[in-house]
Amino acid sequence: MNQTATAPGSGVDTARTDRVRAAAYRIRLNALTQGEVQGQGYIGQALGIADVLAALYADQLDLRPEDPAWEGRDRFLLSIGHYAIALYAALAEAGVIPVEELDTYATDDSRLPMSGMSTYTPGMEVSGGSLGHGLGVAVGIALGLRRKDNPAHVYNLLSDGELSEGSTWEAVQACAHHGLDNVIAIVDMNRQVADGPAQEVMGTEPADDKFRVNGWHVLRVDGNDVAALLAALDELKAHRGRPKALICDTTMGKGVPMLESREKLHFMRVAPDEWQTAREQLKEGDNA
């Protein structure tokens, strides 16, 4: 069987997918709330990755919202520091931070800076900044958990742009060398980097084959298909003996057609009168 084939969503019950879809809607709404505070930001990424974060925080991760540092927790590492707006939205949905705190996004003295900082924000495992370091940190954490006989999983969300970083591939090889089957790498393939279309700036496809040839168990899904995400994550969590990767093809701005169609999606400016329209489009899509 080709391990890079799209994982089907069959076998995932409707109540479960409905619960995660509802969480994804609220995560998108939370992201818009934060974006309006600054009038700009990494809104496209947040909307695009919301289904993945909902699948994780509403279904997959073993967490205690009231105790974010609980030793038995699954670790979620955000390699992509500028995706912090998306993670804050998910942490609020999960009850780790108050929803009301989202109104302080990227303001002075806020616990929610524009790029993720582990020293500021409960539930933020690593600080963001230069890309390409998250998976290397995941290797160290996974080895430490193994030494402690701690069964927790380490999830690392990477961007397709990070696949052009040499440090990422050193970590890919280290994961396979050590047989770290407690690591699940999730790659957001939204096809955009700061300098333009990802494949024009630095081609990283076929990403699934590149992980597989380095000894990983790989699945690729539509990252905005909740049923497919849940089925794939179930399979990856159960797989033993090798590190696992989930390649997610996502649409930037997903759920808000007005933003999906923007020419420049990496860092987006939204006019003051457009935020309510964005919320209305999000609600219309959720009710469709």
Side-chain angles (χ1 to χ4, degrees):
M1 175 180 170
N2 182 359
Q3 295 170 344
T4 64
T6 299
S10 58
V12 179
D13 66 81
T14 303
R16 189 178 169 204
T17 56
D18 286 348
R19 175 169 50 82
V20 173
R21 287 191 184 106
Y25 169 78
R26 291 188 293 269
I27 288 171
R28 289 187 168 97
L29 195 60
N30 288 344
L32 291 175
T33 295
Q34 295 172 88
E36 189 172 12
V37 173
Q38 295 295 328
Q40 60 187 1
Y42 300 98
I43 312 299
Q45 293 91 330
L47 296 172
I49 204 64
D51 297 300
V52 173
L53 291 174
L56 291 170
Y57 278 89
D59 188 85
Q60 295 285 319
L61 297 179
D62 191 3
L63 299 171
R64 293 179 180 174
E66 74 284 359
D67 184 11
W70 170 52
E71 182 63 19
R73 72 192 182 282
D74 287 331
R75 275 69 168 173
F76 176 80
L77 310 185
L78 185 71
S79 284
I80 332 157
H82 58 282
Y83 277 49
I85 184 173
L87 183 52
Y88 302 150
L91 291 172
E93 168 62 20
V96 178
I97 61 175
V99 173
E100 296 76 18
E101 192 169 355
L102 299 177
D103 290 330
T104 72
Y105 172 68
T107 60
D108 290 346
D109 300 320
S110 173
R111 295 195 301 173
L112 313 179
M114 188 168 287
S115 188
M117 298 286 287
S118 61
T119 52
Y120 290 176
T121 313
M124 182 73 70
E125 298 281 356
V126 293
S127 295
S130 298
L131 300 181
H133 301 311
L135 193 57
V137 176
V139 172
I141 292 175
L143 286 168
L145 292 172
R146 175 189 283 178
R147 289 178 65 88
K148 294 179 179 181
D149 293 322
N150 187 327
H153 284 80
V154 183
Y155 294 80
N156 179 209
L157 179 63
L158 305 93
S159 65
D160 48 2
E162 285 188 283
L163 299 188
S164 63
E165 298 283 354
S167 54
T168 295
W169 294 105
E170 291 176 21
V172 166
Q173 294 177 68
C175 272
H177 174 77
H178 293 291
L180 295 178
D181 58 5
N182 54 347
V183 171
I184 300 177
I186 301 171
V187 184
D188 180 18
M189 301 294 291
N190 61 31
R191 300 171 297 282
Q192 282 283 331
V193 295
D195 294 328
Q199 283 300 103
E200 294 180 13
V201 175
M202 178 63 73
T204 57
E205 293 282 24
D208 38 4
D209 287 344
K210 291 178 181 180
F211 275 89
R212 185 172 52 135
V213 78
N214 277 289
W216 287 55
H217 178 64
V218 185
L219 292 173
R220 186 163 190 160
V221 299
D222 177 346
N224 299 123
D225 182 333
V226 167
L229 281 167
L230 292 175
L233 287 166
D234 286 349
E235 178 182 331
L236 293 175
K237 183 180 284 188
H239 187 83
R240 293 292 180 266
R242 288 185 289 168
K244 288 94 67 161
L246 181 61
I247 313 299
C248 297
D249 294 293
T250 65
T251 298
M252 295 184 75
K254 182 69 176 180
V256 182
M258 173 184 72
L259 301 182
E260 288 181 35
S261 61
R262 292 283 165 94
E263 181 179 353
K264 293 186 177 181
L265 293 170
H266 183 76
F267 187 88
M268 188 182 296
R269 290 175 173 80
V270 180
D273 62 342
E274 291 181 316
W275 292 102
Q276 184 57 34
T277 301
R279 291 190 188 90
E280 290 169 359
Q281 290 187 350
L282 182 63
K283 186 174 182 180
E284 289 171 5
D286 187 60
N287 293 332

